[in-house]
Amino acid sequence: AALLAALVAAAWAPRGAEGGATDQEYQNWASKVYQADDKEGVQRGEAIACAFCQIAANAVTKQLELNKEKPRDERYTEEQTEEVLLDICETTAPKIAKSMNGYKKDALMLCKRVVKENVGDMMDAASLGEDMNMFCRDNKICPFGMQDMVKMLQAFGEFQAEQKKKEEEGEEEL
């Protein structure tokens, strides 16, 4: 079995920072666990990073809608939005890791990286009225938009369930 720690860590091998400042905490962690030759791990990590990007983009859109209803001096700041998104990472990382057969720590580090490196650009894009369903694709975090990602995650979940069923059937024959 492939080392699952590398699966998710591989997702975002150091790349140019198209968005905000590079998340140094992530870079330090990834340098210890990343395995470039783990193709399955790279793909799984990319899918997980994409999922977190879509979640964050959706949350930023909702935050912008809430801000429109508030007086200017009571609106959520970028720092407050980042803090909320990091809280979302804490609650969603375990669920996404479990659904993708990954580790919670790996998923959490990916989520934090997505937030820290992209929240500013997400807020700018949302405030300019850009299509936030396409933000993650346009910023090369996802190879597709939100609707395509949902379909992909469903297909991956079905594949994982089939693999598990085959393994269980194989064990029964022994």
Side-chain angles (χ1 to χ4, degrees):
L3 177 62
L4 288 178
L7 295 178
V8 179
W12 277 6
R15 62 177 177 91
E18 290 96 18
T22 301
D23 180 1
Q24 200 56 49
E25 179 186 7
Y26 174 87
Q27 296 301 325
N28 293 338
W29 171 79
S31 70
K32 297 173 188 149
V33 297
Y34 178 72
Q35 294 179 347
D37 61 342
D38 184 358
K39 302 294 183 211
E40 181 183 336
V42 170
Q43 289 175 337
R44 185 175 298 172
E46 287 172 351
I48 290 172
C50 177
F52 287 130
C53 183
Q54 299 291 0
I55 291 166
N58 187 359
V60 165
T61 301
K62 286 183 174 29
Q63 172 268 334
L64 177 68
E65 291 168 7
L66 290 172
N67 270 355
K68 286 180 181 178
E69 299 170 9
K70 294 177 172 250
R72 190 171 297 279
D73 64 330
E74 294 178 19
R75 293 181 180 172
Y76 299 108
T77 65
E78 182 174 326
E79 292 77 21
Q80 290 170 317
T81 301
E82 181 175 336
E83 186 177 318
V84 168
L85 291 173
L86 292 173
D87 287 344
I88 291 171
C89 287
E90 295 286 343
T91 58
T92 59
K95 296 171 189 168
I96 290 180
K98 183 177 182 183
S99 72
M100 300 287 285
N101 291 329
Y103 288 120
K104 182 172 73 170
K105 169 77 173 176
D106 299 349
L108 181 60
M109 293 302 290
L110 279 169
C111 186
K112 287 180 175 181
R113 180 180 187 194
V114 168
V115 169
K116 290 176 182 177
E117 292 185 1
N118 294 284
V119 68
D121 288 344
M122 285 180 182
M123 291 183 71
D124 292 345
S127 67
L128 293 172
E130 292 182 20
D131 181 358
M132 293 306 288
N133 287 325
M134 301 307 290
F135 177 90
C136 300
R137 186 187 80 178
D138 293 348
N139 285 278
K140 298 175 180 51
I141 299 167
C142 293
F144 34 71
M146 179 64 167
Q147 282 68 28
D148 296 326
M149 195 219 45
V150 169
K151 290 177 191 172
M152 189 263 322
L153 283 175
Q154 288 172 336
F156 186 77
E158 290 168 9
F159 171 77
Q160 291 286 20
E162 288 174 22
Q163 293 299 106
K164 186 175 181 180
K165 185 177 178 183
K166 286 179 184 177
E167 288 175 13
E168 290 171 355
E169 288 172 356
E171 290 173 5
E172 289 174 9
E173 292 176 9
L174 294 177

